[in-house]
Amino acid sequence: MNVCIAGIGSYVPDKVLTNFDLEKIIETSDEWIRTRSGIRERRVSKDNEPTSDLAANAAKRALESAKIKADEVEAIIVATATPDMLFPSTACLVQHKIGARRIISFDISAGCTGWLYALTIVESFIKNGYDNILVIGAEELTKITDYTDRSTCVLFGDAAGAALVKKTDEKRGILSTYYSADGSYGHLLQQPAGGSRIPASHESVESKLHYLKMEGNEVFKVAVRAMYESAIETLKKVNISSEQVDFLIPHQANIRIIEATAKRLKIPMDKVGINLDKYGNTSAASIPVGLDQAAKAGRIKKGDLILLVAFGAGFTWGGVLVRW
Ligand code: UT7
């Protein structure tokens, strides 16, 4: 018995914020943003459009693509760093919004690696008898972005991607996974206030501690190493070389990190899924959105070996190898 992605879907809000729009509100340039990050534009959710809305829309599309009805779903996991609120979980809100039965529903927090972390939970659920699990990566990073901080506000966007994961007798699905984390780097990428360490207060808001903070340069150095490690360790477990990989979908933080990873793996860029040019860094959503785009564009076909690698807040990192 194998565990496969039977359906995939994604959703992004309509509003586009381009680099040229950002030039009008902060001291930056389209040229700097494109050359330093690869991003041209990103999507921004409406004030009354929380993460669970994006997640529910992506989930409905994944169900359609898998030809599964909402009442057949047996579990919902949402990976997010930007839930609607600290509790209830976004997954519970999605369960209600899509009209699923009273099923196990919870969020996980593993930064940009969240969706890949969620896949391993799903894998063990399915091996323990569950089936038809929705695994969703959904983020509204623009809601925790400080639009006076040019070092972060040009990077992030809103999106959701979802997969319907189920058991299969076919020789396809998840072949290998690898995960790691190192909390000593936590301070380099964080949302300091709003939790138990610095509860929300006038002071925390005035000091802008409810916004995402990142030491980009320091994060960059670790990200390049960790993305490569994730790929190599994932492949090593099943004795597959990077040259055998048909398509790579990396987390979308920076085109330079992606290019460096692909180069070290000897995977040409025409076999790499890119969505950060249009959507920016969408954290836990970037990989399922990338999978959906690649599937719809016919860039991945049945039987292909697809490598997914991510790195994010925690720090967390990991990889998943899938036979499509
Ligand atoms: O998603 C999870 C993990 N996240 C990542 O992996 C992100 C990793 N980091 C990065 O992608 C990059 O570090 C950034 C894109 C965030 C920044 O690129 P960088 O090449 O590391 O730039 P930097 O932070 O070293 O800044 C270089 C210069 C600085 O000016 P000085 O000190 O050299 O005069 C910055 O002030 O660029 C300046 N700068 C900007 N200039 C124009 C920073 N942000 C901007 C901006 N526009 N938006």
Side-chain angles (χ1 to χ4, degrees):
M1 194 262 288
N2 291 312
V3 174
C4 76
I5 294 175
I8 184 98
S10 65
Y11 181 85
V12 292
D14 295 332
K15 187 179 167 193
V16 178
L17 181 69
T18 67
N19 291 350
F20 298 105
D21 296 329
L22 285 166
E23 280 181 356
K24 290 176 200 143
I25 55 173
I26 40 154
E27 202 187 315
T28 190
S29 67
D30 168 61
E31 208 259 334
W32 190 96
I33 304 169
R34 264 190 301 104
T35 52
R36 302 314 293 164
S37 73
I39 299 164
R40 289 169 186 273
E41 57 187 50
R42 66 289 292 143
R43 298 299 178 99
V44 180
S45 52
K46 296 188 207 76
D47 287 347
N48 61 354
E49 185 182 33
T51 300
S52 62
D53 279 8
L54 309 193
N57 285 331
K60 284 179 194 163
R61 290 178 178 176
L63 291 175
E64 261 172 52
S65 117
K67 300 188 176 62
I68 296 281
K69 293 192 190 71
D71 64 7
E72 295 174 80
V73 174
E74 294 181 13
I76 301 173
I77 305 177
V78 176
T80 184
T82 47
D84 284 30
M85 53 194 114
L86 284 178
F87 57 87
S89 72
T90 302
C92 286
L93 303 172
V94 170
Q95 178 267 341
H96 179 61
K97 282 183 183 174
I98 67 170
R101 290 179 292 123
R102 291 175 173 172
I103 49 166
I104 184 165
S105 305
F106 61 95
D107 291 357
I108 68 148
S109 164
C112 306
T113 321
W115 194 76
L116 293 190
Y117 265 57
L119 272 188
T120 198
I121 302 172
V122 170
E123 201 185 13
S124 58
F125 267 43
I126 290 181
K127 288 186 173 156
N128 280 295
Y130 284 83
D131 205 6
N132 294 331
I133 300 183
L134 269 175
V135 52
I136 306 169
E139 302 282 12
E140 292 195 351
L141 289 153
T142 65
K143 299 260 170 84
I144 60 162
T145 292
D146 175 2
Y147 283 94
T148 64
D149 173 10
R150 70 173 183 173
S151 72
T152 55
C153 77
V154 301
L155 302 172
F156 300 102
D158 302 339
L164 189 285
V165 181
K166 63 186 308 216
K167 59 175 179 257
T168 178
D169 296 328
E170 292 174 44
K171 282 205 166 79
R172 66 189 184 105
I174 298 174
L175 302 181
S176 167
T177 59
Y178 170 78
Y179 300 97
S180 192
D182 185 342
S184 69
Y185 291 111
H187 60 288
L188 295 176
L189 175 50
Q190 58 175 344
Q191 182 188 13
S196 60
R197 182 178 297 194
I198 308 175
S201 64
H202 285 298
E203 290 74 28
S204 72
V205 172
E206 269 161 24
S207 315
K208 300 186 172 184
L209 294 175
H210 57 297
Y211 287 129
L212 179 155
K213 311 276 179 199
M214 180 168 75
E215 303 284 335
N217 232 321
E218 295 305 311
V219 178
F220 189 98
K221 289 179 213 156
V222 189
V224 173
R225 288 199 304 272
M227 295 274 273
Y228 178 73
E229 174 191 313
S230 299
I232 288 299
E233 294 298 328
T234 306
L235 293 167
K236 202 159 82 183
K237 285 188 178 178
V238 280
N239 221 359
I240 285 175
S241 75
S242 57
E243 281 97 340
Q244 288 171 271
V245 170
D246 295 299
F247 206 70
L248 170 70
I249 303 183
H251 167 54
Q252 311 278 312
N254 189 310
I255 193 69
R256 291 180 290 137
I257 297 175
I258 295 173
E259 284 171 351
T261 306
K263 191 172 173 197
R264 281 187 78 186
L265 291 169
K266 300 193 180 67
I267 298 177
M269 284 303 288
D270 62 357
K271 288 186 175 182
V272 181
I274 302 293
N275 60 57
L276 91 173
D277 53 339
K278 285 196 158 313
Y279 300 148
N281 181 344
T282 58
S283 189
S286 74
I287 290 181
V289 167
L291 261 177
D292 186 40
Q293 284 181 330
K296 294 225 161 62
R299 296 186 76 192
I300 53 179
K301 52 185 190 311
K302 208 169 173 190
D304 277 355
L305 272 179
I306 301 167
L307 180 61
L308 315 171
V309 287
F311 171 84
F315 289 160
T316 57
W317 59 98
V320 174
L321 184 69
V322 173
R323 187 168 299 281
W324 196 245

